Amino acid sequence: MRTPTSEVSLEVRFWSRVAPFDHRTDKECAEWLGHCLPTNYGVVYDGEKPQYAHRVSWELTNGTKVPDGMVVHHRCNNPRCVRPAHLSLATYAENLAAAKEANRTRVLPELTTADVRAIRHAYKTGRWSQGDLAEMFYGTGAGQPHINRIVQGKT
């Protein structure tokens, strides 16, 4: 008989969604295998609301909530990593500075008026999805929300 999800602890549900990794060394990342956002950050439902997987990893390991004004920083620069040894607390400013240094910011290039017209036309043909267009124009699926606003005429 299967145990209902609500009866399985967050810790068990969490670690069951992490790829196997060598506990004898801190070198390799522990990749999140559960749901991920387009930005590659893992997400897990904590029983109340969705949470970043790396944040849940830090909280489970340290037995406390992340303090206000702090974020959980990936020292390995891998958004899918939930390995506690690769995570540390940082301020928003420290985390942003580290992301810029590692070239991990999500600043998308500006599109021209011609690009916007082409996106709207291509989407109307039905041959390309918003994700396809994000890959074409931004080189990453992370631009899909912006493509969505373009095709809806909001941007």
Side-chain angles (χ1 to χ4, degrees):
M1 184 170 101
R2 258 182 96 190
T3 305
T5 305
S6 61
E7 293 180 22
V8 178
S9 73
L10 173 61
E11 188 168 14
V12 169
R13 285 187 297 112
F14 177 84
W15 289 110
S16 71
R17 291 180 176 95
V18 178
F21 60 97
D22 187 351
H23 293 270
R24 296 169 294 181
T25 174
D26 285 344
K27 292 182 182 174
E28 68 180 273
C29 290
E31 295 273 330
W32 178 251
L33 300 175
H35 176 73
C36 287
L37 299 172
T39 54
N40 276 330
Y41 286 96
V43 178
V44 63
Y45 184 72
D46 71 358
E48 293 179 24
K49 61 183 180 178
Q51 296 283 344
Y52 283 125
H54 63 285
R55 187 179 177 97
V56 172
S57 175
W58 189 91
E59 290 178 350
L60 287 172
T61 302
N62 292 285
T64 185
K65 295 284 186 190
V66 174
D68 288 341
M70 302 295 280
V71 296
V72 177
H73 168 71
H74 288 93
R75 290 188 293 213
C76 57
N77 288 315
N78 177 1
R80 283 184 177 258
C81 182
V82 294
R83 186 174 193 142
H86 291 190
L87 305 172
S88 62
L89 288 180
T91 65
Y92 288 100
E94 291 166 340
N95 195 44
L96 181 58
K100 283 181 181 177
E101 186 176 312
N103 202 20
R104 276 194 314 114
T105 57
R106 289 185 24 182
V107 177
L108 300 172
E110 280 202 35
L111 299 176
T112 65
T113 303
D115 290 336
V116 171
R117 286 186 186 127
I119 289 167
R120 287 180 178 150
H121 174 75
Y123 186 73
K124 281 180 187 175
T125 67
R127 293 179 63 197
W128 291 280
S129 69
Q130 292 177 13
D132 294 336
L133 293 168
E135 289 287 340
M136 279 191 268
F137 285 87
Y138 292 122
T140 174
Q144 184 275 329
H146 193 227
I147 297 293
N148 180 271
R149 288 190 298 277
I150 290 171
V151 299
Q152 289 184 3
K154 294 179 179 178
T155 299

